[in-house]
Amino acid sequence: MKNPRYIALSALLQVERGANSSQVLDRELKSLPHKDRGFVTELVLGVLRWRGRLDYAIAYLSDRRLEKIEPEVKNALRMGLYQIERMRVPSYAAVKETVNLLKTPWKRSFANAILRGFLREGVKYPERTEPLMYLTHTLSTPEWKALRWLDELGLDGAEKMALYFNSPPPLYLRVNRRKTSAEVLVKALEREGILTEPCREIPLCLKVKKGNPKNSKALRKGFFYIQDIASQMAGFLAAKLASKVWDPCSAPGGKSSHLAELGAEVLASDISFPRMRLALKNFRRLGLRIRVFVGDGEKPPVRGKFPLILLDAPCSSMGIIHRAPEVKWRINPQKLQSLKEKQRKLLERLLPFGERILYVVCTQEREETLSVVEDLTLAEPPKISPENFFLRRGKTLFSNALDFSSDAMFYTVVL
Ligand SMILES: C[S@@+](CC[C@H](N)C(=O)[O-])C[C@H]1O[C@@H](n2cnc3c(N)ncnc32)[C@H](O)[C@@H]1O
């Protein structure tokens, strides 16, 4: 039988080499019995969320510099410390199981010494009196991001943000009104051991309370799509703006399918063939007829003008670091700058083909949001309820992620 901790270590090493945590977990979890899947998911995502704090502890207890510790040993140590600090794993088991992951005698004795040192002496983490150190080390936030939060929100606000984005986010389902109703879906999921409650904020949205709907029969039957509330809001905004929409960055089809469910005529395309195949699979599963093609949004192959282009542009994904925590360790201000240039180019190339463009990104970093559109003509965004879901800045909208437990997104209408 496979050792779940070994699978977690292998997943963390793959992420360290550049893979996405969600793809790695989807693949690796298949080899494990259901009872171990939750443990491995929590361990892998938890280690990625709290990496800054765990590394501080390792550096505090070790006489070797962090960069000099092999990835295998470093990740095993992160896992061991995370189990002791944040999971209900007895300390002796966390130490023994971590040491057992390593084969070379010196690696085993090094790991053993660090973990026993942690149990014996603990670590003195920076406190609130040193705000930047506190956010970066104690609350595991990249320094550049900590500086931005401190500057925009002060210490209390920055602390709330760091804690929110270091917690597992809720999973939201969008009920497919073309195939079922919320009542029928809730009962169908219950029969599969999945408990939900209605979202207070928007109709036909369910919040998962217990169980995993990703492998459910109801999903295969196309009764729902897994989609965060902030993304669902993009669909509602677009549907208010037009009934004929081109979505040139559409894969895997979340917003296109929502729009089609709401009755819009949708043309969906994307530069990536494999991702577009995923979108097609989703449209079929949901029972939707949507015209599709593969193409580069920077070289639009369409003719005429669409009443609306929904541009859900490629972005840093800094607004979903609670779901994809590896992102925060990969992004930096230089990368944000080059993403801004790509977003701006897409927007400029698409402008002649849309009467209006709803520009959406799952990030709230300035480069990718206000800076992309600051010199363009913006229209007043349509009003949709609940209005306090959005934080308005001029004619732009930011999702109120903290108050609504949603992703952090940005939306604006460009003329
Ligand atoms: C944020 S994702 C889209 C998510 C999708 N709208 C949804 O709701 O499921 C951005 C997409 O842009 C695509 N993309 C990146 N550069 C592109 C380009 N130059 N032209 C078209 N699509 C592009 C990526 O392949 C990716 O699928």
Side-chain angles (χ1 to χ4, degrees):
M1 215 171 44
K2 294 222 169 153
N3 174 347
R5 288 182 176 82
Y6 187 78
I7 299 286
L9 178 59
S10 155
L12 284 167
L13 289 170
Q14 291 176 59
V15 173
E16 188 138 328
R17 289 194 292 269
N20 293 340
S21 57
S22 67
Q23 282 169 0
V24 171
L25 281 171
D26 279 351
R27 199 171 48 235
E28 296 286 339
L29 292 182
K30 286 195 187 117
S31 66
L32 284 174
H34 281 277
K35 68 174 181 44
D36 291 334
R37 292 183 184 180
F39 176 81
V40 170
T41 305
E42 185 186 344
L43 187 51
V44 169
L45 295 179
V47 163
L48 292 169
R49 289 189 186 110
W50 289 98
R51 199 185 93 177
R53 178 182 173 99
L54 301 167
D55 284 0
Y56 182 84
I58 298 172
Y60 187 96
L61 296 160
S62 162
D63 46 14
R64 293 178 68 196
R65 287 181 39 184
L66 201 61
E67 308 75 58
K68 299 270 179 214
I69 304 175
E70 294 80 352
E72 183 198 19
V73 181
K74 193 162 51 189
N75 280 292
L77 280 170
R78 287 171 178 161
M79 282 170 47
L81 289 169
Y82 183 78
Q83 289 167 72
I84 297 171
E85 273 209 315
R86 300 199 164 257
M87 291 174 93
R88 272 167 284 156
V89 176
S91 312
Y92 69 89
V95 176
K96 184 170 139 246
E97 297 291 343
T98 301
V99 171
N100 281 346
L101 290 171
L102 303 166
K103 299 288 165 253
T104 332
W106 78 260
K107 287 183 182 170
R108 294 166 67 90
S109 71
F110 177 71
N112 192 44
I114 299 279
L115 294 176
R116 293 210 177 274
F118 181 76
L119 293 177
R120 209 174 39 244
E121 297 156 31
V123 166
K124 197 174 169 337
Y125 292 107
E127 295 186 11
R128 283 173 57 93
T129 44
E130 300 168 283
L132 186 57
M133 300 274 281
Y134 172 68
L135 283 166
T136 52
H137 300 309
T138 312
L139 297 187
S140 190
T141 306
E143 192 178 87
W144 67 269
K145 186 64 203 163
L147 283 166
R148 285 185 183 199
W149 272 338
L150 279 173
D151 189 40
E152 290 158 16
L153 308 165
L155 180 54
D156 286 351
E159 182 183 48
K160 279 194 191 124
M161 283 293 191
L163 291 171
Y164 174 68
F165 282 105
N166 278 339
S167 311
L171 200 61
Y172 295 101
L173 312 181
R174 187 187 82 220
V175 182
N176 180 3
R177 61 189 78 207
R178 298 274 150 170
K179 285 203 170 180
T180 189
S181 64
E183 293 72 26
V184 172
L185 176 57
V186 168
K187 295 226 168 70
L189 287 169
E190 258 173 37
R191 284 194 294 275
E192 298 195 64
I194 300 152
L195 303 185
T196 57
E197 65 179 25
C199 308
R200 278 174 295 119
E201 301 79 15
I202 46 175
L204 293 171
C205 167
L206 300 174
K207 187 176 185 177
V208 178
K209 301 303 288 175
K210 185 173 167 247
N212 180 1
K214 288 182 183 162
N215 303 312
S216 63
K217 268 192 230 141
L219 181 99
R220 284 194 294 280
K221 285 188 185 160
F223 284 0
F224 65 89
Y225 189 89
I226 298 174
Q227 190 179 40
D228 185 77
I229 303 186
S231 284
Q232 297 193 37
M233 286 301 190
F236 287 124
L237 284 170
K240 268 250 169 156
L241 287 163
S243 55
K244 191 172 174 194
V245 184
W246 176 28
D247 181 355
C249 295
S250 63
K255 297 180 190 69
S256 277
S257 56
H258 190 196
L259 273 167
E261 285 167 16
L262 291 167
E265 185 189 328
V266 183
L267 174 64
S269 62
D270 198 279
I271 198 168
S272 158
F273 186 75
R275 284 175 66 82
M276 208 58 224
R277 262 218 310 258
L278 271 179
L280 262 178
K281 223 168 121 185
N282 281 326
F283 299 157
R284 261 190 227 119
R285 181 173 65 75
L286 296 165
L288 301 168
R289 291 167 68 89
I290 295 177
R291 285 184 302 140
V292 302
F293 70 92
V294 173
D296 184 350
E298 288 184 20
K299 300 174 195 130
V302 296
R303 257 187 273 132
K305 240 180 160 129
F306 285 80
L308 181 71
I309 294 176
L310 165 60
L311 174 55
D312 186 12
C315 73
S316 66
S317 302
M318 279 300 292
I320 56 164
I321 53 175
H322 44 351
R323 297 182 197 285
E326 68 279 14
V327 164
K328 68 179 174 183
W329 307 114
R330 291 181 183 161
I331 295 295
N332 55 44
Q334 295 74 38
K335 290 199 180 151
L336 293 176
Q337 199 55 38
S338 69
L339 281 161
K340 169 191 163 175
E341 279 151 29
K342 182 165 175 64
Q343 289 149 352
R344 177 67 193 209
K345 196 162 167 193
L346 262 169
L347 200 46
E348 279 173 9
R349 294 281 163 86
L350 288 165
L351 265 173
F353 299 93
E355 278 161 30
R356 286 179 289 187
I357 295 192
L358 174 61
Y359 174 76
V360 179
V361 273
C362 62
T363 170
Q364 295 185 344
E365 299 307 319
R366 170 164 260 286
E367 290 88 338
E368 305 179 272
T369 58
L370 298 176
S371 301
V372 173
V373 297
E374 66 194 345
D375 56 340
L376 300 175
T377 314
L378 305 181
E380 197 62 56
K383 288 209 171 11
I384 57 173
S385 64
E387 278 197 51
N388 64 345
F389 180 82
F390 301 107
L391 305 168
R392 279 177 187 265
R393 277 175 75 179
K395 291 177 178 163
T396 65
L397 305 174
F398 291 78
S399 65
N400 185 351
L402 221 54
D403 287 350
F404 287 84
S405 299
S406 76
D407 294 349
M409 289 189 67
F410 171 82
Y411 326 71
T412 193
V413 183
V414 184
L415 284 174

